[in-house]
Amino acid sequence: MLNIAMAQMEVLPGHPDKNTARILSLIEEARKKRADIVIFPEMAVPGYLLGDTWEQTSFLQDCESFGRDIIAASHGIVVMFGNIAVDWSRKNNDGRVRKYNAFFTAQNGHLIQPDNMPYPYVIKTLMPNYREFDDTRHFFSLQKLARELGTTPNHLISPVSLKIRDTRYSIGCLLCEDGWSDNYELQPFEVLRQNNPIDFFVNISASPYTLGKNEKRNRVFGWQAKTAAAPLFYVNAIGLQNNGKTIYTFDGSSTAYTKDGTIHAVSPEYQEDLAVVSLDGQNQRPASAPPEPPIAHIYRALHYGIRRFLENIHMKKVVIGISGGIDSAVAAALYADIIGPENLLLVNMPSVFNSQTTQGLSRTLAENLGCQYMVVPIQQSVDHTIEQLENTPVVLLKNGAESHLHVSSFVAENIQARDRSARILAGAAAAFGGGFTCNANKAETTVGYSTLYGDQSGFLAALADLWKYQIYELADYMNQTVYQREVIPQGIMDIVPSAELSSKQNVDEGKGDPLKYPYHDYLFRSFVERWQKASPQDILEWYAAGTLEENLGCRPGLVRQYFPTAQSFIEDLERWWNLFTGMAVAKRIQSPPVLAISRRAYGFDHREAQNGPYYTRKYLQLKNTLLQQ
Amino acid sequence: MLNIAMAQMEVLPGHPDKNTARILSLIEEARKKRADIVIFPEMAVPGYLLGDTWEQTSFLQDCESFGRDIIAASHGIVVMFGNIAVDWSRKNNDGRVRKYNAFFTAQNGHLIQPDNMPYPYVIKTLMPNYREFDDTRHFFSLQKLARELGTTPNHLISPVSLKIRDTRYSIGCLLCEDGWSDNYELQPFEVLRQNNPIDFFVNISASPYTLGKNEKRNRVFGWQAKTAAAPLFYVNAIGLQNNGKTIYTFDGSSTAYTKDGTIHAVSPEYQEDLAVVSLDGQNQRPASAPPEPPIAHIYRALHYGIRRFLENIHMKKVVIGISGGIDSAVAAALYADIIGPENLLLVNMPSVFNSQTTQGLSRTLAENLGCQYMVVPIQQSVDHTIEQLENTPVVLLKNGAESHLHVSSFVAENIQARDRSARILAGAAAAFGGGFTCNANKAETTVGYSTLYGDQSGFLAALADLWKYQIYELADYMNQTVYQREVIPQGIMDIVPSAELSSKQNVDEGKGDPLKYPYHDYLFRSFVERWQKASPQDILEWYAAGTLEENLGCRPGLVRQYFPTAQSFIEDLERWWNLFTGMAVAKRIQSPPVLAISRRAYGFDHREAQNGPYYTRKYLQLKNTLLQQ
């Protein structure tokens, strides 16, 4: 019986040299484990999220060169791997050289040509072009190739046939999206299944982690294996890849499905793994652990993502400004766990507006973590800044007229926030030999409830794809499961969220943020994460129909509790929509990279323009009706 | 003879209400001018660069609703316009509702169905998916539709036939990229021309300004008109659209080509225009002005782009930190010209390292412009920051060990830069009621020769798509042509570029930036702007072959002059490549939006990931060879 090695490797984007070295070593290992076939993920040689590196001729040549090394290493074992394939004689539609996202099968030093293909490799048919995916930008699809050749995709989509120990196998080879064809007019899996006897399927992927995605994949791929009555081997990469503004973890979770659609073997999340499974499903691996709550997966994604990101940018030390609030506390507990308390410097930066309560909670948190700690007051600097701004004469040189700037209390709030981050934290981080974090959550990020060059700055916004309720869940999880003691003081969980930038935000008087998280978390989520994004028109229609809470997924009764009248409801809606599509866009353009967790993270994943707020005709009509009632 | 009105309107992205109001008023105007047909640009109703607003159902409904108003206004005049078209019964490949980038033709209140189309509008066939273009992400192409319908694009691509004053016309309707088909396997223009008798062509576009693009378009479109022996009317929008990180001006320059391929009428750059031309080319407009130098076009793009951007974000006042160097001086001259000197506040912020020379030049510049001026020294604040960082004890709480941070001279340099921007300029801008600018040029932006939250910050980086040599050209142009007097003092042109952040950067001793602009401008340009991007391997191959200066386009002899040995050449190359693909990426992720001028601006136009520097095998071999010689 055939033994198949699923090589769930860590792919380093943009480093074909290191990836190839890893592939060659895993081929050796698979050979030792008596595997007949070893399967590597999609784009295992170059990595996947490379931006315009795909436009460098020399990089493409380099990937080809390393690909030849891998092919040469296929003696006595069949090697299946993803790499970029270049046809130097043809062009893409942008005039650049022709590139395919390709699936190579090598045996005894030679590539095996799929039955009906003009190239010695399988070409990706379906090109995802949503969220982080930009396949259409760089890669020429099988569909376009078919049109160019005057044939059909159905003809070109064909199995790879090869002989192992005198038995011939027909293998259905798919690349990632080829197996997710729900909304495409062409279904590569179905074409393969219907036109050919297939012994087994292989889906090589570079599929980033998204909360809840693996459950869906098991349904879809399990169904495929069952329908075809053939085993399916899904091999995904682990790793951390980014497109600048958004950072994705690749969780692996490679899975072997038996011909009846059940799961035969699963590789662990975020760990390299070389699972050798038999084609007939005999040597079944122990069943995977019982299902965990979503927050456990989120924690693992954050932990792996932060650790790997720090390694990638060679950062060993981190500075976090802690306020005594929940976001910075969760960040501190996470980073302490990853880099060790001696490499973590927590800085508390009180002004006259910071309560003894939050200063005490900050200190307790730092003590619980046992990390480096310093207290740097900012009042003297803030006073000096305001004094300089207000007392320095401004002269209009065309006529000599003199005036003075006035610093309002709102302006003074932002001066405090920038003083903390751009003056103290940035300086402290550089002197400490590291970077400082941005602790913004997704609700704040949505409406720009933050100061640019202040608390909106940092080298990474690791929590910016988590809603406030997820931050609290994570705090609980850290205490109960990760540390198994109260690292984050209960007082931090209980205190009202507040920026403490003025006397109007006094936590001891229960005053804090203008965000009503139990409602706004869910309202904002509908703006960003729904597949067809919600806008004020949808919100108002649901409100008028009495189905708002149901549609948003928040607690029933909340809306009436927070907003007794239609007018107060509409004022709140417009206030946040104006910010979300206005100033918050400007802030996000300059904010740090976001670690993606949800099905729609900010950055490159949620495309937006500085076009200002807009209200549709229907919205304005409905608003009018509601206000007149 | 038919009269055709080319409505070069200003399109506001994301504001179909305002665009439709403008369209309806221009229809009226065209009717008064006795036009038979009035043509509006591509996506004239919704705008073009909208990001994920395309995913809002309510926005799509709204655009449809406004489209119906336009159709209803087509009595007595044929109205051609671009809008989004939605087929609510079908889906895109991402599972979202089906959207087409469509060309509508309305007459007497009804849409005219193209001869072989299943919809009453023309669908864009070629979907650009490079630089700022993301058509494939949002819009379903005619090619995909043909496949879905089981027919060919050649069958669906068909003229729009209509009768005006008892004569029947067959019109070839194209959307932007449909006319730029060089690298596509399908050529919509050729399909139309070869299959049908066409009376004239109409290309509606949403085509951003790029230096040199209009010359190419005149060649391509003039050739099309001549080949088809039919007039061609190219109607482009003006306006400012952005995708967050990069801001594009749309220059209009709508052009009528006669059937012999000559230019019949041209609308001015960046101005609304309703040119009425006759189909036979009789009422020729006065020939356009003599060709201008590229810097004149660049100036116009900057002037329009900055003005429009300020209007869009409702910003009337601007603060600029001026150092006595060329970049901030050019920025000051530009903004003074746009918003008036009374709305411009220049701030000079000396430390102990700033020379009397540059302080005097700053004052002279401000006097020449007659704007608001203030001098805010930073030394006291910088000293206080360093003192706080160095004297505050850092305690490792797990064992009580105490240590102190040390502020190196490099760390102190960045503290100065952040003190200026995040402390003074941000505060001054807020108190002045405006924003502050980022004055970085493209060479600095390429290698991150700047401080994050320092000189890398601001609300807009208007000069960040100009190389240093273009900044000098612009300074000359401003003095000679715009102001016609020496606004930017000659001393600023002559002084060595320097950050003046330490005694090692003393301008009076001729010490300044590590960048050798006459070479690095061109080296960096090859990394970013070449269609197939250059990497160290290409650079070293050219260097070894003695063709480097020729390939880069810089002055011959420079390389040997700057780098006497291969070793010094390679050290310089690696130094900047490491920064370009390393720390500079992290800085660009958080830098302000860039106003695009070149064929490849930073931001959304140049996709990049934080993947770190990489050197190919061939590069390493060649380097080895060169160093051993």
Side-chain angles (χ1 to χ4, degrees):
Chain A
M1 183 41 72
L2 227 48
N3 283 318
I4 294 172
M6 301 167 67
Q8 174 169 299
M9 67 178 277
E10 187 165 61
V11 173
L12 297 172
H15 294 272
D17 53 348
K18 290 179 185 152
N19 291 328
T20 301
R22 188 74 191 122
I23 289 170
L24 294 175
S25 117
L26 285 165
I27 291 173
E28 270 317 297
E29 208 178 309
R31 202 181 268 121
K32 279 184 200 146
K33 289 186 172 181
R34 301 176 172 273
D36 300 291
I37 302 179
V38 57
I39 308 169
F40 293 93
E42 181 185 17
M43 290 293 187
V45 175
Y48 189 37
L49 301 181
L50 305 186
D52 293 348
T53 300
W54 295 119
E55 298 177 7
Q56 293 170 10
T57 307
S58 60
F59 182 80
L60 300 173
Q61 290 169 343
D62 206 51
C63 293
E64 280 190 322
S65 156
F66 284 109
R68 284 191 291 272
D69 290 1
I70 297 166
I71 295 162
S74 64
H75 286 276
I77 187 165
V78 174
V79 179
M80 303 183 124
F81 67 102
N83 193 4
I84 188 77
V86 187
D87 183 339
W88 298 97
S89 68
R90 287 193 160 90
K91 284 185 171 174
N92 273 3
N93 290 151
D94 62 2
R96 296 193 176 85
V97 70
R98 175 73 57 85
K99 294 174 282 290
Y100 302 108
N101 183 342
F103 183 145
F104 292 84
T105 304
Q107 187 178 36
N108 296 321
H110 296 282
L111 286 178
I112 299 176
Q113 187 140 345
D115 296 355
N116 303 333
M117 276 292 292
Y119 294 108
Y121 41 79
V122 170
I123 292 172
K124 194 169 181 179
T125 303
L126 305 182
M127 303 264 120
N129 190 204
Y130 49 84
R131 295 198 58 198
E132 68 276 24
F133 298 109
D134 252 335
D135 278 32
T136 52
R137 177 169 289 255
H138 306 292
F139 314 128
F140 207 77
S141 78
L142 184 104
Q143 301 187 54
K144 287 187 178 179
L145 177 66
R147 203 156 52 221
E148 186 182 74
L149 298 176
T151 181
T152 63
N154 289 30
H155 175 71
L156 294 179
I157 295 171
S158 50
V160 169
S161 305
L162 50 78
K163 206 188 270 184
I164 299 174
R165 290 187 263 113
D166 296 330
T167 306
R168 184 158 279 282
Y169 296 90
S170 187
I171 309 170
C173 296
L174 299 159
L175 289 111
C176 205
E177 189 85 347
D178 293 341
W180 297 88
S181 55
D182 277 12
N183 296 304
Y184 293 87
E185 67 280 15
L186 184 66
Q187 326 262 316
F189 168 80
E190 282 298 311
V191 174
L192 280 168
R193 183 181 73 83
Q194 289 171 12
N195 296 356
N196 316 272
I198 300 284
D199 294 295
F200 60 95
F201 288 89
V202 175
N203 185 314
I204 62 171
S205 286
S207 188
Y209 169 75
T210 299
L211 189 56
K213 192 187 203 174
N214 286 335
E215 289 71 26
K216 185 173 178 199
R217 196 234 314 138
N218 284 333
R219 286 198 303 276
V220 173
F221 286 14
W223 176 89
Q224 288 177 0
K226 189 177 173 186
T227 306
L232 188 157
F233 302 92
Y234 163 77
V235 179
N236 190 23
I238 67 164
L240 192 75
Q241 305 200 27
N242 72 92
N243 44 36
K245 210 63 180 172
T246 319
I247 298 171
Y248 298 90
T249 63
F250 290 65
D251 61 332
S253 302
S254 302
T255 307
Y257 302 87
T258 62
K259 65 180 180 186
D260 56 5
T262 59
I263 292 175
H264 170 191
V266 184
S267 291
E269 285 179 313
Y270 302 116
Q271 291 176 36
E272 284 210 326
D273 188 37
L274 188 74
V276 180
V277 292
S278 73
L279 185 57
D280 61 5
Q282 281 311 303
N283 59 345
Q284 192 147 357
R285 282 191 146 201
S288 54
E292 294 172 301
I295 201 68
H297 294 279
I298 290 174
Y299 167 75
R300 213 171 289 135
L302 290 170
H303 191 280
Y304 177 80
I306 292 171
R307 177 174 68 76
R308 211 69 196 74
F309 188 72
L310 291 171
E311 286 170 12
N312 287 354
I313 62 173
H314 309 292
M315 190 183 283
K316 292 185 174 63
K317 295 181 168 192
V318 168
V319 170
I320 300 180
I322 52 166
S323 62
I326 187 77
D327 300 328
S328 56
V330 166
L334 255 175
Y335 279 90
D337 180 27
I338 293 167
I339 57 173
E342 62 284 1
N343 295 312
L344 177 64
L345 170 58
L346 301 189
V347 187
N348 184 239
M349 296 163 285
S351 75
V352 294
F353 299 117
N354 292 88
S355 61
Q356 290 302 319
T357 311
T358 53
Q359 291 180 55
L361 288 169
S362 296
R363 169 85 196 189
T364 307
L365 170 73
E367 281 170 353
N368 292 351
L369 293 170
C371 57
Q372 309 270 9
Y373 188 63
M374 75 194 288
V375 177
V376 186
I378 61 162
Q379 199 60 49
Q380 185 184 335
S381 172
V382 169
D383 290 344
H384 173 60
T385 301
I386 293 171
E387 187 272 329
Q388 277 195 302
L389 291 175
E390 293 202 322
N391 293 355
T392 304
V394 175
V395 183
L396 182 58
L397 290 171
K398 72 174 174 185
N399 62 15
E402 197 176 301
S403 62
H404 284 85
L405 298 175
H406 167 65
V407 175
S408 69
S409 62
F410 175 72
V411 171
E413 288 184 23
N414 289 313
I415 286 174
Q416 294 167 62
R418 287 189 298 267
D419 202 84
R420 289 194 174 103
S421 295
R423 193 177 68 86
I424 296 302
L425 291 181
F432 190 55
F436 69 100
T437 65
C438 173
N439 309 323
N441 62 52
K442 196 168 187 176
E444 291 171 340
T445 306
T446 298
V447 292
Y449 186 65
S450 60
T451 301
L452 206 53
Y453 321 132
D455 51 322
Q456 189 58 65
S457 56
F459 74 96
L460 174 67
L463 305 178
D465 201 24
L466 297 182
W467 300 105
K468 193 79 171 183
Y469 73 86
Q470 292 171 311
I471 302 279
Y472 282 106
E473 281 177 26
L474 189 57
D476 270 335
Y477 184 81
M478 304 276 310
N479 278 359
Q480 287 173 26
T481 308
V482 179
Y483 285 93
Q484 303 190 346
R485 60 190 170 94
E486 192 183 290
V487 164
I488 299 169
Q490 188 60 39
I492 287 182
M493 313 260 200
D494 295 339
I495 205 166
V496 57
S498 172
E500 290 193 303
L501 292 169
S502 76
S503 55
K504 284 177 273 179
Q505 299 166 338
N506 188 326
V507 290
D508 292 329
E509 297 168 14
K511 296 174 186 165
D513 293 354
L515 289 162
K516 298 168 174 49
Y517 292 105
Y519 165 65
H520 287 125
D521 264 357
Y522 297 86
L523 176 71
F524 300 165
R525 192 176 69 176
S526 80
F527 294 164
V528 187
E529 294 184 16
R530 286 178 78 95
W531 208 242
Q532 293 285 153
K533 291 183 174 180
S535 80
Q537 180 185 318
D538 305 289
I539 302 299
L540 216 52
E541 283 170 350
W542 294 332
Y543 176 80
T547 61
L548 181 60
E549 286 142 344
E550 184 188 330
N551 272 295
L552 297 183
C554 70
R555 186 151 44 84
L558 266 187
V559 172
R560 177 159 294 275
Q561 178 191 325
Y562 286 141
F563 312 107
T565 64
Q567 187 177 336
S568 62
F569 177 81
I570 288 170
E571 276 170 8
D572 179 81
L573 176 61
E574 294 193 357
R575 170 186 185 181
W576 299 116
W577 180 256
N578 287 346
L579 285 169
F580 168 58
T581 58
M583 189 56 87
V585 181
K587 290 181 182 175
R588 283 191 288 269
I589 289 170
Q590 298 192 46
S591 64
V594 171
L595 188 57
I597 296 291
S598 76
R599 60 195 231 162
R600 214 68 188 271
Y602 283 114
F604 208 72
D605 196 344
H606 167 85
R607 308 286 170 97
E608 57 189 348
Q610 274 196 79
N611 289 341
Y614 181 72
Y615 297 92
T616 63
R617 262 183 177 175
K618 269 199 177 167
Y619 172 83
L620 296 173
Q621 287 159 359
L622 186 53
K623 171 184 171 182
N624 213 21
T625 310
L626 287 168
L627 291 182
Q628 283 171 352
Q629 274 169 358
Chain B
M1 181 44 68
L2 229 47
N3 283 319
I4 294 172
M6 300 166 67
Q8 174 170 300
M9 69 179 275
E10 188 165 59
V11 173
L12 296 172
H15 294 273
D17 53 348
K18 290 180 186 151
N19 291 328
T20 301
R22 187 74 192 121
I23 289 170
L24 294 175
S25 121
L26 286 164
I27 291 173
E28 269 317 296
E29 207 179 308
R31 201 181 267 121
K32 280 184 197 144
K33 287 187 174 181
R34 300 175 175 274
D36 299 291
I37 302 179
V38 57
I39 308 168
F40 293 93
E42 181 186 16
M43 290 290 187
V45 175
Y48 189 38
L49 301 181
L50 305 187
D52 293 348
T53 299
W54 295 120
E55 298 176 8
Q56 293 169 9
T57 307
S58 60
F59 182 81
L60 300 172
Q61 291 169 343
D62 206 50
C63 293
E64 281 190 322
S65 156
F66 283 110
R68 284 190 290 272
D69 291 0
I70 297 166
I71 295 161
S74 65
H75 286 275
I77 187 166
V78 174
V79 180
M80 302 182 125
F81 66 102
N83 194 3
I84 188 76
V86 186
D87 184 340
W88 298 97
S89 68
R90 287 193 160 87
K91 283 186 172 173
N92 274 1
N93 290 151
D94 61 3
R96 296 193 176 85
V97 70
R98 174 73 56 86
K99 295 173 281 288
Y100 301 108
N101 182 342
F103 183 145
F104 292 84
T105 303
Q107 188 178 35
N108 297 322
H110 295 283
L111 287 178
I112 299 175
Q113 187 139 345
D115 297 355
N116 303 332
M117 275 292 290
Y119 295 107
Y121 41 79
V122 170
I123 292 172
K124 195 169 180 178
T125 303
L126 305 182
M127 303 265 119
N129 190 204
Y130 47 87
R131 295 197 59 197
E132 68 276 24
F133 298 111
D134 253 333
D135 279 31
T136 52
R137 178 169 289 254
H138 306 292
F139 314 129
F140 207 76
S141 79
L142 184 102
Q143 303 187 54
K144 287 187 179 179
L145 177 65
R147 202 157 51 220
E148 185 181 73
L149 297 175
T151 180
T152 64
N154 289 31
H155 174 72
L156 295 180
I157 296 171
S158 50
V160 170
S161 305
L162 52 77
K163 207 187 268 185
I164 299 175
R165 289 187 265 110
D166 295 330
T167 306
R168 184 157 279 280
Y169 295 91
S170 187
I171 309 171
C173 296
L174 300 158
L175 289 111
C176 205
E177 188 86 346
D178 292 341
W180 297 86
S181 55
D182 276 13
N183 296 305
Y184 292 87
E185 67 280 14
L186 184 66
Q187 325 262 318
F189 168 80
E190 282 298 312
V191 174
L192 281 168
R193 183 181 73 82
Q194 289 173 12
N195 297 356
N196 316 272
I198 301 285
D199 293 295
F200 59 96
F201 288 88
V202 175
N203 184 314
I204 63 171
S205 287
S207 187
Y209 169 75
T210 299
L211 188 57
K213 191 187 202 173
N214 285 336
E215 290 71 27
K216 184 173 179 197
R217 196 235 314 138
N218 284 334
R219 286 198 304 278
V220 172
F221 286 15
W223 176 88
Q224 289 178 0
K226 189 177 173 188
T227 305
L232 186 157
F233 301 92
Y234 163 78
V235 179
N236 190 22
I238 67 163
L240 193 74
Q241 304 199 29
N242 72 91
N243 43 37
K245 209 66 181 169
T246 319
I247 298 170
Y248 298 90
T249 64
F250 290 65
D251 62 332
S253 303
S254 301
T255 307
Y257 301 88
T258 62
K259 66 180 181 187
D260 56 5
T262 59
I263 292 175
H264 170 189
V266 184
S267 291
E269 285 179 313
Y270 301 115
Q271 292 175 35
E272 283 211 327
D273 188 37
L274 188 74
V276 180
V277 292
S278 73
L279 186 57
D280 60 4
Q282 283 308 306
N283 58 345
Q284 191 148 358
R285 284 192 145 198
S288 55
E292 294 172 301
I295 200 68
H297 294 278
I298 290 174
Y299 167 74
R300 213 170 289 136
L302 289 170
H303 190 280
Y304 177 81
I306 293 170
R307 177 174 68 75
R308 210 69 196 75
F309 187 73
L310 291 172
E311 286 169 12
N312 287 354
I313 61 172
H314 309 291
M315 190 183 284
K316 293 184 173 66
K317 295 181 168 192
V318 169
V319 171
I320 300 179
I322 52 166
S323 62
I326 188 78
D327 300 328
S328 57
V330 166
L334 255 175
Y335 278 90
D337 180 27
I338 292 167
I339 57 173
E342 63 284 0
N343 295 313
L344 177 65
L345 171 58
L346 302 189
V347 187
N348 184 239
M349 295 162 286
S351 75
V352 294
F353 300 117
N354 292 89
S355 62
Q356 290 303 319
T357 311
T358 52
Q359 291 181 54
L361 288 168
S362 297
R363 169 86 196 192
T364 307
L365 170 73
E367 282 169 353
N368 292 351
L369 293 170
C371 58
Q372 309 270 9
Y373 189 62
M374 74 193 289
V375 178
V376 186
I378 61 162
Q379 198 60 49
Q380 186 185 335
S381 172
V382 169
D383 290 345
H384 174 60
T385 301
I386 293 172
E387 188 270 330
Q388 277 195 302
L389 291 175
E390 294 202 322
N391 293 355
T392 305
V394 175
V395 183
L396 182 58
L397 291 170
K398 73 176 171 183
N399 61 16
E402 196 177 300
S403 62
H404 283 85
L405 297 175
H406 167 65
V407 174
S408 69
S409 62
F410 175 71
V411 171
E413 288 185 22
N414 288 313
I415 286 174
Q416 293 167 59
R418 285 189 299 265
D419 202 85
R420 289 196 173 102
S421 296
R423 193 177 68 86
I424 296 301
L425 292 180
F432 191 54
F436 69 101
T437 65
C438 173
N439 309 322
N441 62 54
K442 196 167 186 176
E444 290 171 340
T445 306
T446 299
V447 292
Y449 187 66
S450 61
T451 301
L452 206 52
Y453 321 130
D455 51 321
Q456 188 58 65
S457 57
F459 74 95
L460 174 68
L463 305 178
D465 201 24
L466 298 182
W467 299 106
K468 193 80 170 181
Y469 73 88
Q470 292 172 311
I471 302 280
Y472 282 106
E473 282 177 27
L474 189 57
D476 269 334
Y477 183 81
M478 303 278 311
N479 278 0
Q480 287 173 29
T481 308
V482 179
Y483 284 93
Q484 304 190 346
R485 61 190 169 92
E486 192 183 290
V487 164
I488 299 169
Q490 188 60 39
I492 287 181
M493 313 261 200
D494 296 339
I495 205 166
V496 57
S498 172
E500 291 192 302
L501 292 170
S502 76
S503 54
K504 283 176 275 179
Q505 299 166 340
N506 187 324
V507 290
D508 292 329
E509 297 168 13
K511 296 173 186 165
D513 293 354
L515 289 161
K516 298 167 176 43
Y517 291 104
Y519 165 65
H520 288 125
D521 263 358
Y522 298 84
L523 175 71
F524 299 166
R525 193 175 68 174
S526 80
F527 294 164
V528 187
E529 295 184 16
R530 288 178 77 96
W531 209 243
Q532 293 284 155
K533 291 186 175 178
S535 79
Q537 179 186 319
D538 305 288
I539 302 299
L540 217 52
E541 283 171 349
W542 294 331
Y543 175 80
T547 61
L548 180 61
E549 287 142 345
E550 184 189 329
N551 273 294
L552 297 183
C554 71
R555 187 150 43 85
L558 266 186
V559 171
R560 177 159 294 275
Q561 179 191 323
Y562 287 141
F563 311 106
T565 63
Q567 188 180 334
S568 62
F569 177 80
I570 287 169
E571 277 170 7
D572 179 82
L573 175 61
E574 293 192 357
R575 171 186 185 180
W576 299 117
W577 180 257
N578 287 346
L579 284 169
F580 168 58
T581 58
M583 189 56 88
V585 181
K587 290 181 181 176
R588 284 191 288 271
I589 289 170
Q590 297 193 45
S591 64
V594 171
L595 189 58
I597 297 291
S598 76
R599 62 194 229 161
R600 214 66 188 271
Y602 284 113
F604 208 71
D605 198 345
H606 167 85
R607 309 285 170 101
E608 56 188 349
Q610 276 196 78
N611 289 342
Y614 181 72
Y615 296 92
T616 62
R617 260 182 177 176
K618 270 199 178 169
Y619 171 82
L620 296 173
Q621 287 160 359
L622 186 52
K623 172 184 170 182
N624 213 22
T625 309
L626 285 168
L627 291 182
Q628 282 171 354
Q629 273 170 358

